[in-house]
Amino acid sequence: MSSPAVDVVPLPAAARRWRLPAVVWVAPIYGFLFLFIVFPLWRLFADAVSTDEGQWTVRYLVDFARDAFYQRALLNSVVVAGGTVLGCAVIGFLAAFLLVRYDFPGRALFSYLTMLPIIMPPLVGIMGLVFILGRAGTVNVLLMDYLGLRTPVNFIYGWHGVLLAMILHYFPLITLNVVDGLSKVDASLEEAAEAVGARGLRKVLDITIPLVTPGFISGATLVFILAFADFATPLVVGVQNLIASQAYLNIVQFVDRRLFKMGIVIGALMAAMAIVFLVVARRIVAMREYAVVSYRAVERRPLGGLWRVVVPAFFTAVLTLAFLPYLGVALAAFGRAWSLTPFPTRFTLAHLDAVLHLTPIYVINTLRWSVLAVAIILAVGVPLGWVLARSTVPGRGLMDAIVTLVLALPGTAIGIAYIRAFHFPLPLVGLVLSRLWIIMPLVLAVRRMPYTVRATFAALLNLHRSMEEAAASVGASGLRTFFDVTLPLIWRGVLAGALFSLMFALQEAAATILLFLPGWETMTVGIFTFYTSGTIGQAAALGFVLILLCAATLYAVYRLTGARMGGLFGSGGG
């Protein structure tokens, strides 16, 4: 969005206000980033290479490297994360290309529905798949009752189940980023390629794919890291020999000090790998970055013939699979006496009543921690976005790198880092944060802050500086300029980022499940506790409520941002 040019008249020197040096007012932001991101990470890495008595050693790293079980777990994690990226790339890229470039029946509806799988937390997703595709699930019961199958088919327990659940959950991250990139491809480039004879697949390979590579790499990196760090999905389907699952199991057992130390080593390794992946991805993106001052979007073309049936059928098939978990969770949340039948034979509100009235602490805590986290995010993230977009203060590049790093760090690694960093009295204040409830909204704020920072940064890039310079020229202070001029023009982007932060804070499981104390439990903790203890109805009811909350948040984001959501995931930000 361009803004009209405004003539700026400088004030006389006497009328100029004395301004606080920028480095002073950004000091609290530096302090927040150092205390809640850099310090925990340093403590995690330091603990991985030191004994309990504080002596430096590489013994634990050597033990990890020599252990055949951990070697296999690491290899398995890389294979699962790589397979997830491959599956998400095929589905996500194809879906994005069809949605951006072609008109076909139901395109607008498919465009909206394609985003919905990301509102379901991975833990709830795999639980819903088990209800439908498990050994006693709906599909197996139907096959045995109506097709005479003697033994149930193993659709979900094992590696294939983990891959299926992750691909169905994460492919929208690729779609959103590629949609964002494809929407910005200049039509004249493709027209020039056609003029020299490059058409069809040749044009796509030579022009289109290179132009959307930055967005694709951003999405693929995010998918790889999320799949690599997900410990709940494999545990639900009985897969334990993955690195993230071992980190969680080793940390929560507290008895064997060697296993506990191995959990710390694994957390440090996951954080280090995330940093390496991020650096490599940024280098690849930088090598293929294309900037345009303006562009003419490629016109969408109507599909004809058989393709008007095939393409909607493709979206219907993918979305049917992606929405199976929703069906499973809804049936289990309201079902009663669901055993060896394809669907519940009776329905009840008892499970919902139990989690909303008898044990509402999970819902109350989730909303309480998430809202407080968003308040922290707005207080830190919006000024930080302004600093990145508008200022030249020292260390700006370092702040940008730290925020980007947070987006890539596995939740399990952050949870372990917080346990180690804040289990001791902080210097000067003497507070043990791990024993205070504030640790919950703090870890949620740190985990989800990048979405608000990126949204603020992107909104400020679209706001011409002359608007703020005009306010400053008539004597407005920096703070007044921000609240009277800047914020009214960027509030929509800031709000969209805050809602995205809220939605993912509601879903957070990896970090909070390691940090909670009795009375602090969130909905994801409750779902995991109910499911592993066999109280399936309550687990599904909590999952159903969580899906509704995330869906309402995503709907608000969609109304505010529309098709520009992909930019929030980093394709446009460094």
Side-chain angles (χ1 to χ4, degrees):
M1 179 181 72
S2 62
S3 304
V6 176
D7 293 333
V8 179
V9 181
L11 281 181
R16 291 176 188 159
R17 293 173 180 269
W18 180 80
R19 296 176 185 275
L20 199 65
V23 71
V24 175
W25 65 262
V26 299
I29 300 176
Y30 280 123
F32 183 90
L33 296 180
F34 174 80
L35 183 59
F36 296 112
I37 300 174
V38 178
F39 172 62
L41 276 180
W42 172 83
R43 186 60 194 264
L44 177 66
F45 290 129
D47 278 355
V49 291
S50 63
T51 65
D52 291 342
E53 292 74 29
Q55 296 176 330
W56 298 106
T57 178
V58 294
R59 173 159 56 94
Y60 304 113
L61 299 179
V62 173
D63 288 348
F64 176 87
R66 288 179 175 174
D67 194 308
F69 176 77
Y70 290 130
Q71 291 173 8
R72 284 196 303 275
L74 180 60
L75 180 62
N76 292 339
S77 293
V78 172
V79 171
V80 167
T84 303
V85 170
L86 185 61
C88 289
V90 172
I91 297 176
F93 193 92
L94 185 57
F97 191 79
L98 292 170
L99 288 172
V100 173
R101 292 299 175 85
Y102 297 101
D103 260 329
F104 50 87
R107 192 196 69 82
L109 178 62
F110 289 133
S111 176
Y112 178 68
L113 293 179
T114 301
M115 293 189 297
L116 286 184
I118 62 173
I119 70 172
M120 178 173 286
L123 175 59
V124 180
I126 188 64
M127 195 173 66
L129 277 180
V130 169
F131 294 145
I132 299 298
L133 298 177
R135 291 193 179 93
T138 302
V139 174
N140 266 315
V141 173
L142 287 173
L143 290 175
M144 296 173 77
D145 285 352
Y146 294 98
L147 294 182
L149 203 69
R150 300 180 67 85
T151 57
V153 179
N154 181 11
F155 289 113
I156 198 73
Y157 295 98
W159 301 104
H160 58 294
V162 176
L163 277 174
L164 177 65
M166 289 185 175
I167 290 171
L168 292 178
H169 179 69
Y170 291 127
F171 84 85
L173 296 178
I174 300 280
T175 303
L176 286 169
N177 278 286
V178 175
V179 162
D180 191 57
L182 276 174
S183 302
K184 295 174 183 173
V185 172
D186 193 340
S188 62
L189 293 174
E190 296 196 353
E191 290 167 358
E194 290 179 354
V196 295
R199 296 176 182 275
L201 186 60
R202 182 80 269 166
K203 183 178 67 178
V204 172
L205 293 175
D206 289 350
I207 303 295
T208 309
I209 288 182
L211 290 174
V212 300
T213 296
F216 173 75
I217 294 293
S218 297
T221 304
L222 198 56
V223 170
F224 187 94
I225 292 170
L226 290 172
F228 188 82
D230 187 355
F231 68 87
T233 301
L235 288 179
V236 169
V237 294
V239 177
Q240 294 189 1
N241 53 347
L242 292 175
I243 209 71
S245 302
Q246 286 305 309
Y248 168 75
L249 294 173
N250 288 350
I251 287 294
V252 298
Q253 51 83 39
F254 291 115
V255 178
D256 189 323
R257 291 301 301 173
R258 179 184 174 276
L259 288 180
F260 188 77
K261 202 69 178 182
M262 283 296 104
I264 295 172
V265 171
I266 294 172
L269 176 67
M270 292 169 66
M273 290 182 69
I275 294 171
V276 171
F277 293 147
L278 187 65
V279 170
V280 172
R282 284 171 68 92
R283 285 190 174 277
I284 293 174
V285 169
M287 289 169 62
R288 291 181 171 273
E289 193 168 5
Y290 303 90
V292 292
V293 176
S294 62
Y295 61 90
R296 178 168 56 87
V298 179
E299 289 186 10
R300 198 175 295 126
R301 291 185 296 178
L303 280 176
L306 188 61
W307 290 108
R308 288 181 65 81
V309 177
V310 172
V311 171
F314 162 75
F315 278 100
T316 303
V318 170
L319 293 175
T320 299
L321 278 174
F323 281 88
L324 277 181
Y326 294 81
L327 175 64
V329 170
L331 289 175
F334 295 99
R336 191 172 186 178
W338 189 9
S339 176
L340 300 179
T341 57
F343 302 103
T345 53
R346 285 182 293 169
F347 291 91
T348 179
L349 293 176
H351 304 316
L352 215 55
D353 181 66
V355 299
L356 290 180
H357 294 103
L358 299 181
T359 55
I361 189 69
Y362 301 110
V363 180
I364 293 172
N365 278 344
T366 299
L367 294 175
R368 180 189 293 161
W369 306 148
S370 298
V371 170
L372 282 173
V374 171
I376 297 171
I377 288 169
L378 288 173
V380 178
V382 175
L384 182 52
W386 188 91
V387 168
L388 297 181
R390 287 289 193 261
S391 77
T392 56
V393 296
R396 192 173 64 93
L398 180 60
M399 284 194 283
D400 187 18
I402 292 173
V403 172
T404 308
L405 172 63
V406 171
L407 194 64
L409 282 175
T412 314
I414 291 183
I416 297 172
Y418 268 52
I419 289 175
R420 299 306 296 165
F422 301 123
H423 193 59
F424 307 96
L426 285 175
L428 303 179
V429 293
L431 293 175
V432 182
L433 282 183
S434 64
R435 298 291 175 186
L436 301 176
W437 60 266
I438 192 67
I439 194 77
M440 299 295 278
L442 274 174
V443 75
L444 290 176
V446 167
R447 285 273 289 150
R448 305 311 178 188
M449 186 170 59
Y451 300 114
T452 300
V453 175
R454 289 285 167 237
T456 305
F457 179 80
L460 283 167
L461 288 186
N462 288 331
L463 177 65
H464 201 287
R465 287 173 183 266
S466 62
M467 307 284 284
E468 297 160 306
E469 291 169 354
S473 70
V474 294
S477 65
L479 204 60
R480 183 164 185 181
T481 299
F482 179 78
F483 282 105
D484 289 353
V485 177
T486 308
L487 193 57
L489 294 172
I490 66 169
W491 72 269
R492 193 182 294 272
V494 173
L495 181 59
L499 288 172
F500 243 111
S501 297
L502 175 65
M503 185 179 74
F504 285 107
L506 293 170
Q507 299 181 9
E508 177 62 42
T512 54
I513 210 166
L514 289 167
L515 288 169
F516 81 94
L517 291 178
W520 300 355
E521 297 91 342
T522 60
M523 294 174 72
T524 49
V525 173
I527 292 166
F528 192 71
T529 305
F530 280 132
Y531 187 83
T532 52
S533 64
T535 318
I536 303 300
Q538 279 87 337
L542 263 185
F544 185 77
V545 174
L546 185 53
I547 290 171
L548 291 183
L549 288 173
C550 292
T553 311
L554 182 65
Y555 180 74
V557 174
Y558 183 77
R559 292 299 302 267
L560 285 169
T561 64
R564 292 179 296 136
M565 289 171 58
L568 295 177
F569 289 94
S571 61

